[in-house]
Amino acid sequence: MDSNSKIIRGLIKISGKILFVIGLVLNICMVFFGFWPSIIYLLFMLLGGFMIFTNKDVDTSVKFDLQNFNFRTIGNNLKKEDFEKSVVSSIKIVLLTLTITTIAIIGFFYFSKSYYKNQNTRQDCEEIVTALNSYKKDLSSYPKSMDSLIGNNPLRKAWKKDRWNNDLYYKSINNDKNFILISKGKDQKLFTKDDIVFKN
């Protein structure tokens, strides 16, 4: 590794450490104040960690001679080919870092989207179950359909569908003494393993 490539990679590694620490501190602060860690701060940590990992062989404990790191000095002391190799090598590392980080971001959003749809659907169903139990308490039986539960309440119109925009399956059973409420889940198929089921 030539000296200029070492300097560039060392600066990338130091920048990675700074990003990682900033992301870590901000996430700790959010957790301390009762918030979920921010996706942006987690990505800071991810990017910083990758920048450190890809340049782990660079010893940043050695002080770089940054005063001599300028294009005029490089032009005088290095052959054109060596300088081009150094720049190309550094650009490859940066592009690789950005590519992997982008893939990680897309993957994170893809999987977290499904996770939050599942969690939010469960919360919606729990709210519906509370309303169903209240309905039975007042009328001594569960409603025969979701329409009976929703009535003319505009705030309950969204109860017909889950977060995947599928119709919720509701059925009263045992002469309206019990009920079953099902979200089809991610696969959008009823009576499969990923169904979200509530019943009493």
Side-chain angles (χ1 to χ4, degrees):
M1 184 190 301
D2 60 69
S3 59
N4 294 294
S5 177
K6 183 179 178 181
I7 291 172
I8 293 172
R9 292 187 63 194
L11 291 173
I12 292 172
K13 184 176 180 180
I14 292 169
S15 300
K17 288 181 178 180
I18 293 170
L19 272 178
F20 184 86
V21 171
I22 288 173
L24 179 63
V25 170
L26 291 173
N27 277 314
I28 291 173
C29 288
M30 290 196 74
V31 172
F32 181 78
F33 287 107
F35 298 101
W36 283 100
S38 167
I39 292 174
I40 299 299
Y41 301 157
L42 289 171
L43 292 177
F44 278 175
M45 292 177 63
L46 180 65
L47 176 59
F50 186 76
M51 290 167 72
I52 295 168
F53 178 77
T54 54
N55 298 284
K56 61 183 178 181
D57 57 321
V58 180
D59 184 11
T60 53
S61 63
V62 178
K63 292 183 178 180
F64 297 116
D65 188 8
L66 295 178
Q67 291 180 344
N68 294 325
F69 186 67
N70 58 66
F71 288 103
R72 182 177 296 176
T73 304
I74 292 171
N76 292 334
N77 297 334
L78 282 180
K79 294 179 181 179
K80 183 179 179 181
E81 294 81 6
D82 293 336
F83 176 67
E84 288 176 351
K85 286 180 182 178
S86 175
V87 172
V88 169
S89 175
S90 300
I91 290 173
K92 284 181 179 178
I93 292 170
V94 173
L95 289 177
L96 180 62
T97 302
L98 291 175
T99 301
I100 292 179
T101 303
T102 302
I103 292 171
I105 291 170
I106 293 171
F108 178 82
F109 277 107
Y110 176 79
F111 289 109
S112 65
K113 187 177 179 181
S114 177
Y115 170 79
Y116 284 114
K117 279 185 178 180
N118 188 294
Q119 292 298 105
N120 290 333
T121 296
R122 287 184 181 278
Q123 291 175 1
D124 293 343
C125 288
E126 287 171 359
E127 187 177 350
I128 294 170
V129 168
T130 300
L132 286 168
N133 289 330
S134 178
Y135 186 101
K136 185 185 180 185
K137 185 177 180 181
D138 293 338
L139 301 176
S140 302
S141 64
Y142 287 107
K144 292 186 178 295
S145 67
M146 285 290 290
D147 289 330
S148 300
L149 179 66
I150 293 169
N152 295 320
N153 189 336
L155 298 177
R156 294 183 174 182
K157 295 292 183 183
W159 284 0
K160 286 189 174 183
K161 295 183 178 291
D162 61 18
R163 295 304 176 107
W164 289 276
N165 205 33
N166 299 314
D167 291 332
L168 286 170
Y169 174 86
Y170 170 80
K171 185 177 181 180
S172 61
I173 53 180
N174 297 332
N175 294 323
D176 303 331
K177 293 180 180 178
N178 303 96
F179 71 87
I180 182 167
L181 178 68
I182 304 175
S183 163
K184 298 175 184 177
K186 183 180 177 181
D187 68 0
Q188 302 183 13
K189 295 178 182 178
L190 198 60
F191 306 126
T192 56
K193 287 184 179 180
D194 73 337
D195 286 357
I196 300 171
V197 182
F198 286 82
K199 59 184 178 180
N200 68 337

